Amino acid sequence: MEYIIRAVKYFFYYTIIFFLVIAIVFQFSEHPGVETLQEFFQVSFQEGAGVKIFLLFLAFGLIYPLLGFSKKEIYTNNDFGQKRKEIDGLFISAHYVLKSDDGKKMVWVLRNPVMRAFRVYEDKVTIDYSSNPVIISGLRKDVFRFGRGIEYIMQKENL
């Protein structure tokens, strides 16, 4: 279900961004003989381009959630709770704020609402520390960045 929601979100997000860019170009450019945005679109793009653009955004919306999100297992030799303050510091220094913590799972989100909007409010990083391995999930680049940071924190006393 989460995949379907993400796919629909990305499809609409990029479609809206595309039409906003087209509207801005229409508003701030000279286009003799063209009165409406619809006429501008017809003049600027070939016949059938709208369907191709629709299919492109549909494909992107379907593929990006599969490739852009991941899970990572982090094996810990010691108790996750012992390093909790350092792990919290890792997220706080990256401008994340703790959204929820039920004793088994933490959910972190970006603090900045503008950055959250740029990420289509799919900025959630979830850490399930109920067992070993700890499972971190979210946007792929965040999972790898925070996963490496947590692995470093967990192995720090062994170095």
Side-chain angles (χ1 to χ4, degrees):
M1 187 64 177
E2 193 171 339
Y3 167 76
I4 294 170
I5 292 169
R6 283 182 178 154
V8 170
K9 255 189 199 181
Y10 279 105
F11 170 75
F12 282 114
Y13 180 77
Y14 286 107
T15 302
I16 289 168
I17 294 295
F18 174 75
F19 283 109
L20 282 174
V21 169
I22 294 296
I24 289 169
V25 169
F26 172 74
Q27 199 66 26
F28 293 105
S29 66
E30 293 184 25
H31 34 70
V34 177
E35 297 295 325
T36 67
L37 185 59
Q38 183 178 3
E39 290 175 1
F40 180 73
F41 189 80
Q42 289 173 347
V43 169
S44 300
F45 296 99
Q46 295 177 357
E47 185 75 28
V51 173
K52 291 176 185 174
I53 291 169
F54 172 80
L55 291 174
L56 175 71
F57 291 150
L58 182 64
F60 185 80
L62 292 172
I63 293 170
Y64 185 72
L66 292 174
L67 301 176
F69 294 87
S70 68
K71 290 182 180 182
K72 182 177 182 176
E73 295 179 344
I74 302 170
Y75 292 92
T76 60
N77 293 332
N78 53 4
D79 187 17
F80 186 85
Q82 294 173 349
K83 303 286 186 168
R84 176 67 191 268
K85 284 188 177 184
E86 290 181 70
I87 292 168
D88 288 351
L90 176 70
F91 280 90
I92 291 168
S93 68
H95 307 289
Y96 275 73
V97 64
L98 185 62
K99 183 178 179 182
S100 68
D101 183 4
D102 64 4
K104 296 180 181 181
K105 186 184 287 189
M106 292 188 294
V107 178
W108 293 85
V109 295
L110 278 168
R111 185 181 316 141
N112 187 338
V114 174
M115 289 302 297
R116 292 194 76 201
F118 281 137
R119 291 188 179 192
V120 197
Y121 293 92
E122 291 290 344
D123 59 332
K124 176 175 66 171
V125 177
T126 305
I127 302 173
D128 182 356
Y129 59 97
S130 61
S131 63
N132 193 11
V134 171
I135 299 172
I136 181 170
S137 61
L139 199 59
R140 182 179 298 275
K141 69 178 184 173
D142 292 334
V143 165
F144 287 121
R145 176 175 56 153
F146 291 124
R148 286 187 187 128
I150 292 170
E151 286 172 342
Y152 176 77
I153 289 169
M154 292 298 189
Q155 295 173 359
K156 198 185 314 186
E157 69 183 30
N158 298 335
L159 298 176

